[in-house]
């Protein structure tokens, strides 16, 4: 606890909490308003932490939709509890992380989903044609507190700190102003939750390594690789017994299976062929198209400059994550005008919708270099913006080059800029 409340550690934790931003917890105190209040109360909070009398506040329940149609419950702690959890995380990470498996990639320093995808590709190339794809049902909501704390206490012997971690696990959650106790689970949303998940599942990793099994794990998502269908069935039942019997977790049988590695999904990617070619999975593409469409939906009452900014932030983040996609043709397709999901076509439709009057449309098209004969038909057409966005007169005036000069982000350009780094990593 002395290391947790050390001034330098607290200062570093505050910088990380601010960088992560985030909404206020149940007490309503924002990050901007927190610091001034915290300065005056910190000596008392520090004393309580060292004496073991500090009581964490509950988290605020926030439900977000999942890609499969369900919801994921998050817990948003008060800022002061996020700060304390972050300071605990900074002390415990150097203690636990060096002992974690090399095949564990989730929420660890200098590790990412890209590393997991590359290791899957290498494993498939090594001749593993079957895998066990297992889903843990509501993992973060069903972690058994006693099982978790027994594993934390193997390396943490400070009883005051152990008691504080236990109190965070049992702090409860506010739902519609009513406090609900936490008898199990480690609520997603706090800084400490990912590390606790890795601590719990580290025993599972060690068991797989002792059995000589190849696997990749990212938090509660994992694939175990074998060479035959028979081995996949055997490993599936063995792993299920360990997870349910020893770790007290629940396996979702509907989403768990033994399957071929060709076509398997993991972390938004899909792997194909004996070479494990990396693709963006169809569900991820569908979600991308829906989000891009939502950003560029017409009649939102915002300027085109703001639309471009929102779209650029989303597209850049999306392609930076899915940069391991090995087909340049995909980015060209998404950037190509005739495609109905193309961002450029939607931007043209937005401009056309903003230029409501025929004389305005005619004037704008001519100002952008279109001839009168070419601009007159679409300007006076009764067809909608979406249909007219593909006509030759509109497309030539609002060309890709002009849209890019206005700030339109292109996936292909960013993908190509990252290509050398990507190819080196996949070799």
């Amino acid at each position: 606890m002395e290391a947790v409340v050390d001034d330098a550690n607290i200062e570093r934790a505050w910088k990380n909490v601010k960088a992560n931003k985030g909404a206020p917890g149940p007490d309503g105190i924002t990050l901007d308003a927190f610091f001034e209040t915290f300065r005056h109360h910190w000596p008392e909070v520090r004393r309580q932490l060292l004496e073991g009398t500090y009581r964490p506040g509950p988290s605020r329940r926030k439900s977000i939709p999942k890609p499969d149609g369900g919801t994921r419950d998050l817990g948003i702690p008060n800022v002061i509890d996020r700060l304390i959890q972050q300071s605990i995380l900074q002390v415990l990470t150097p203690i636990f992380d060096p002992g974690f498996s090399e095949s564990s990639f989730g929420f660890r320093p200098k590790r990412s989903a890209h590393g997991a995808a590359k290791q899957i590709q290498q494993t498939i190339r090594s001749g593993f044609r079957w895998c066990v794809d297992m889903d843990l049902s509501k993992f973060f909501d069903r972690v058994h507190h006693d099982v978790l704390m027994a594993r934390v206490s193997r390396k943490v012997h400070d009883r005051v700190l152990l008691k504080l971690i236990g109190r965070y696990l049992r702090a409860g959650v506010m739902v519609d102003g009513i406090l609900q106790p936490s008898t199990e689970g480690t609520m997603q949303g706090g800084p400490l939750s990912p590390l606790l998940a890795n601590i719990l599942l580290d025993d599972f990793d060690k068991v797989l390594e002792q059995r000589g099994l190849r696997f990749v794990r990212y938090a509660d998502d994992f694939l175990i690789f074998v060479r035959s269908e028979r081995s996949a069935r055997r490993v599936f039942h063995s792993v299920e017994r360990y997870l349910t019997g020893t770790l007290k977790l629940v396996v979702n049988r509907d989403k768990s299976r033994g399957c071929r590695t060709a076509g398997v999904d993991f972390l938004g990617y899909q792997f194909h062929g004996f070479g494990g070619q990396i693709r963006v999975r169809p569900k991820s593409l569908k979600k991308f198209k829906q989000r891009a469409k939502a950003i560029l939906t017409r009649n939102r009452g915002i300027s085109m400059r703001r639309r471009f900014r929102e779209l650029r932030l989303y597209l850049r983040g999306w392609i930076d994550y899915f940069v391991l996609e090995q087909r340049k043709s995909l980015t060209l397709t998404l950037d190509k005008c005739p495609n109905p999901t193309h961002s450029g076509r939607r931007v043209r439709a937005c401009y056309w919708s903003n230029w409501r009057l025929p004389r305005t449309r005619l004037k704008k098209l001519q100002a952008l270099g279109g001839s009168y004969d070419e601009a007159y038909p679409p300007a006076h057409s009764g067809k909608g913006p979406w249909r007219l966005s593909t006509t030759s007169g509109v497309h030539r005036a609002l060309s890709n080059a002009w849209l890019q000069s206005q700030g339109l982000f292109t996936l292909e350009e960013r993908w190509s800029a990252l290509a050398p780094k990507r190819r080196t990593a996949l070799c």
Side-chain angles (χ1 to χ4, degrees):
M1 278 305 303
E2 286 77 4
V4 170
V5 301
D6 179 75
D7 289 343
N9 188 53
I10 292 293
E11 184 177 352
R12 185 159 62 96
W14 172 238
K15 291 180 180 179
N16 288 325
V17 170
K18 283 197 303 181
N20 291 333
K21 300 181 180 180
D27 62 6
I29 298 178
T30 63
L31 284 169
D32 293 335
F34 171 75
F35 186 70
E36 287 299 321
T37 305
F38 175 73
R39 286 196 306 171
H40 303 295
H41 290 89
W42 170 238
E44 176 62 18
V45 172
R46 186 178 187 276
R47 182 188 64 79
Q48 292 177 5
L49 289 170
L50 289 173
E51 293 178 356
T53 59
Y54 179 79
R55 296 280 178 177
S59 298
R60 178 168 62 86
R61 168 76 52 87
K62 174 69 174 178
S63 297
I64 60 174
K66 295 172 64 176
D68 59 5
T71 59
R72 176 179 288 110
D73 291 333
L74 301 181
I76 304 176
N78 293 324
V79 177
I80 187 170
D81 287 317
R82 295 212 295 271
L83 176 63
I84 296 172
Q85 285 193 40
Q86 179 65 36
S87 63
I88 296 173
L89 174 69
Q90 293 169 179
V91 172
L92 295 189
T93 296
I95 296 174
F96 284 96
D97 190 79
F100 288 157
S101 170
E102 289 298 313
S103 297
S104 171
F105 292 89
F107 309 110
R108 297 183 58 191
K110 300 181 180 180
R111 288 174 172 265
S112 66
H114 287 175
K118 294 167 192 173
Q119 182 161 315
I120 291 174
Q121 184 183 59
Q122 293 170 0
T123 303
I124 294 174
R125 288 177 174 177
S126 299
F128 291 84
R129 303 289 182 253
W130 287 83
C131 67
V132 173
D133 183 4
M134 190 166 286
D135 180 78
L136 297 178
S137 179
K138 294 186 177 296
F139 167 75
F140 285 92
D141 297 333
R142 290 176 171 165
V143 170
H144 197 285
H145 290 171
D146 291 341
V147 175
L148 172 59
M149 291 305 299
R151 283 152 178 78
V152 175
S153 63
R154 292 173 184 172
K155 294 187 177 181
V156 177
H157 307 297
D158 187 328
R159 292 187 178 183
V160 176
L161 180 54
L162 289 172
K163 184 185 295 185
L164 179 61
I165 295 173
R167 285 175 177 168
Y168 272 117
L169 292 175
R170 299 185 298 272
V173 60
M174 298 295 293
V175 181
D176 297 327
I178 301 175
L179 176 62
Q180 294 185 358
S182 302
T183 57
E184 61 179 1
T186 168
M187 183 67 71
Q188 288 180 275
L192 198 54
S193 179
L195 175 64
L196 295 178
N198 277 332
I199 291 173
L200 177 67
L201 291 174
D202 185 56
D203 276 8
F204 174 62
D205 297 343
K206 297 299 189 291
V207 168
L208 296 180
E209 290 175 343
Q210 290 170 3
R211 297 180 184 180
L213 294 170
R214 302 277 290 271
F215 70 97
V216 170
R217 182 175 67 81
Y218 191 95
D220 59 321
D221 296 321
F222 58 89
L223 296 176
I224 305 172
F225 297 91
V226 292
R227 295 184 183 273
S228 68
E229 182 179 6
R230 182 178 178 181
S231 296
R233 289 197 299 267
R234 174 179 53 81
V235 170
F236 181 95
H237 295 299
S238 175
V239 167
E240 184 182 33
R241 284 195 301 270
Y242 179 83
L243 291 172
T244 57
T246 304
L247 297 185
K248 311 299 181 184
L249 299 172
V250 178
V251 174
N252 187 338
R253 294 297 298 268
D254 294 333
K255 296 183 179 180
S256 302
R257 56 178 181 151
C259 61
R260 291 187 178 274
T261 54
V264 70
D265 296 341
F266 195 73
L267 300 178
Y269 284 105
Q270 194 172 78
F271 300 84
H272 291 268
F274 293 162
Q277 289 86 2
I278 300 176
R279 304 282 188 263
V280 179
R281 72 171 184 169
K283 286 185 178 179
S284 300
L285 278 177
K286 182 179 179 181
K287 184 178 179 181
F288 163 79
K289 294 171 184 178
Q290 291 173 342
R291 179 68 184 278
K293 179 180 178 180
I295 294 174
L296 292 173
T297 298
R298 299 183 300 277
N299 301 324
R300 291 175 61 206
I302 63 174
S303 66
M304 291 303 300
R305 183 184 299 274
R306 181 175 172 184
R307 289 181 200 265
F308 282 138
R309 183 169 63 250
E310 291 182 17
L311 184 65
R312 181 170 60 253
L313 289 174
Y314 176 67
L315 295 184
R316 185 184 180 96
W318 189 87
I319 197 60
D320 282 4
Y321 180 82
F322 287 107
V323 70
L324 297 184
E325 162 67 54
Q326 294 177 262
R327 299 168 298 174
K328 183 177 182 179
S329 59
L330 176 65
T331 58
L332 290 172
T333 299
L334 294 176
D335 281 335
K336 191 176 180 182
C337 180
N339 190 287
T341 61
H342 171 56
S343 56
R345 181 179 177 183
R346 295 197 179 278
V347 170
R348 292 184 182 93
C350 288
Y351 274 110
W352 202 250
S353 182
N354 290 341
W355 303 338
R356 296 181 182 278
L357 299 177
R359 63 174 180 270
T360 303
R361 292 173 173 176
L362 179 61
K363 180 180 178 181
K364 292 289 187 180
L365 291 179
Q366 288 183 293
L368 291 171
S371 66
Y372 179 87
D373 293 338
E374 193 175 45
Y376 187 88
H380 289 80
S381 173
K383 296 178 181 178
W386 183 245
R387 172 65 183 85
L388 292 171
S389 63
T390 59
T391 60
S392 59
V394 174
H395 191 269
R396 288 174 184 172
L398 301 176
S399 64
N400 288 338
W402 185 81
L403 292 179
Q404 291 178 32
S405 71
Q406 300 302 301
L408 180 63
F409 184 89
T410 59
L411 295 171
E412 188 275 332
E413 183 178 354
R414 178 64 177 170
W415 186 91
S416 298
L418 296 174
K421 182 186 298 183
R422 184 188 66 257
R423 293 193 186 107
T424 301
L426 292 176
C427 288

